[in-house]
Every structure is written in C-alpha cells, then in structure tokens.
Amino acid sequence: MGLVGLCSAVLLLSLVALSSAAGSDAPRGVAVGFVFDPKAKCEPPCKHGGVCIRNNTCFCSKGYEGETCQYANCYPKCKNGGTCLRPGKCRCPPAYGGRYCHKVTCEDGCWNGGECNAVNGVAKCICPSSWTGSKCQDAICPQGCRNGGMCVAPGICSCPEGWLGGACHTAVCTKSCLNGGKCISPDKCRCRPPFSGPLCEERKKFH
Ligand SMILES: *[C@@H]1O[C@H](CO)[C@@H](O)[C@H](O)[C@H]1NC(C)=O
C-alpha cells in the first residue's frame, strides 16, 4: 500500500467514524463504504462541507443531502408546508410555528381563553362564548350597553356619568323628580300633569 493508499484508508475510516458518531438514521448523499478516491473531482463541487469521495459523488456532512449536498434536511420533517432552511431549522408558513411548523400560531396570541386553530390554512382564535374579536379581546354584553356605555367584561357595562344599571339604561337625577315625575335622562324629569318645572315642583295654575 503506497502513501496515497494509506491516506485514503485513513480517510475512509474517519468517514465511517463520522457516520457512526452521528448516530442518526438521516439519509446521506451516499452510503458509506465506497472507496475514497483522493483524485476524485466533483463538479459542481460538494456544498455545505460535503467531501468529494469519487468522481461526482459527494459524502455529505450531517444535516445535508442531495447530489452536491445542496439541501438541508430537517428531522423531524417540516410540517404544514414549512421549508428546511438549515439542519433542524424550518421556515414556517404564516399560520404555523414551532420548531417543525407543527403548531398553529395566531399572531399576538389568543386572549381570555381563546384557542388558536387553523381554518383553511389561516390561523384564527376560537373564542369562548363571552368574548369576541380577532384575539378574543372584546367582551360580549348580551344585554347591550346603552347611552354610551362600554362593555368591559362579559355582561358588565361601564356607564357614562348620569346613567346606571346593567345596560346603562337608568338615568340618574341628582335631585329626585317630585310629584310622580320620572327621571328620563340625567337630571331631566318628565312631569305628570298638572306639574311642571325642573323637578316637577310647580303646579300649573288653571283659571
Ligand atoms: C475521474 O475523472 C477524471 C477526469 O475528470 C478521470 O481522469 C479519472 O479517471 C476519473 N476517475 C475514475 C475513478 O473514474
């Protein structure tokens, strides 16, 4: 065995060692065991650290495959249409995330117990019954919030000044309406005849 032969034997050994050290069942550009030809030419050249072991045959380093080791491989494979960028790194389509694009992801998440779900490839929050909105950020007040009230939590209206009640439907008159008058809006009484005045305190005179 000449010097070149010795060299190739050593290199073949190191390739075998590399492969068993990898300890993965990932496919390679080529099966190990071919005789390494130190004069081999690979054109185009082997990419990503692949070794040219025979004419136009690359031995790929871990994580790459293809004739010239041009493709990164991802194990587990990228799911849901993700593409393998480099070994173990997937680029995921919009609705998906996680290391292997295996998780549906809603941008900004889902609030208030909403669950992210993919509907025709689009991530959507599925909200619990008392919440709505793209992130389940809006509470639902089934009773409605009237007179400029705002629904701030399920069934809870925050009322503007002068209004009260579950639906902000009750006007507040700081001074009570007299003589059976009714408070119909903040500090406004509707009087029963024959009364009148701001608080229905005057009795109309009849002549
Ligand atoms: C590899 O290719 C070169 C020319 O590019 C050629 O001279 C050589 O014989 C080839 N080796 C083998 C083993 O085919």
Side-chain angles (χ1 to χ4, degrees):
M1 195 184 263
L3 185 61
V4 169
L6 185 65
C7 257
S8 56
V10 169
L11 252 157
L12 178 60
L13 269 176
S14 63
L15 286 174
V16 171
L18 182 73
S19 136
S20 55
S24 95
D25 53 357
R28 311 266 165 203
V30 101
V32 188
F34 289 109
V35 178
F36 175 77
D37 177 2
K39 293 197 200 109
K41 291 257 182 309
C42 290
E43 203 51 55
C46 307
K47 300 195 167 57
H48 299 118
V51 179
C52 185
I53 56 167
R54 285 190 302 149
N55 281 355
N56 293 321
T57 304
C58 297
F59 178 82
C60 299
S61 47
K62 184 173 153 63
Y64 291 93
E65 60 193 17
E67 275 178 29
T68 61
C69 310
Q70 70 270 48
Y71 303 120
N73 59 36
C74 290
Y75 288 89
K77 279 195 169 11
C78 305
K79 306 228 172 355
N80 298 306
T83 51
C84 190
L85 279 187
R86 52 178 194 274
K89 177 72 188 163
C90 299
R91 177 165 50 206
C92 305
Y96 296 93
R99 211 169 143 81
Y100 315 112
C101 310
H102 55 296
K103 281 196 272 192
V104 183
T105 51
C106 289
E107 246 180 284
D108 310 325
C110 302
W111 304 0
N112 298 306
E115 262 186 53
C116 187
N117 238 301
V119 181
N120 298 326
V122 179
K124 260 190 77 154
C125 293
I126 309 296
C127 302
S129 60
S130 43
W131 296 92
T132 187
S134 60
K135 294 185 292 232
C136 310
Q137 74 274 32
D138 298 323
I140 295 175
C141 290
Q143 78 277 28
C145 299
R146 284 144 63 178
N147 300 304
M150 275 186 18
C151 185
V152 292
I156 309 284
C157 297
S158 166
C159 303
E161 223 183 302
W163 296 97
L164 283 179
C168 306
H169 57 292
T170 308
V172 177
C173 290
T174 42
K175 288 181 187 155
S176 310
C177 307
L178 304 172
N179 299 310
K182 197 176 169 216
C183 183
I184 54 164
S185 61
D187 289 324
K188 192 164 194 302
C189 300
R190 182 167 59 208
C191 303
R192 287 167 61 125
F195 299 97
S196 68
L199 302 176
C200 312
E201 72 278 26
E202 296 164 22
R203 181 188 282 267
K204 280 180 189 152
K205 307 269 192 314
F206 294 97
H207 295 284

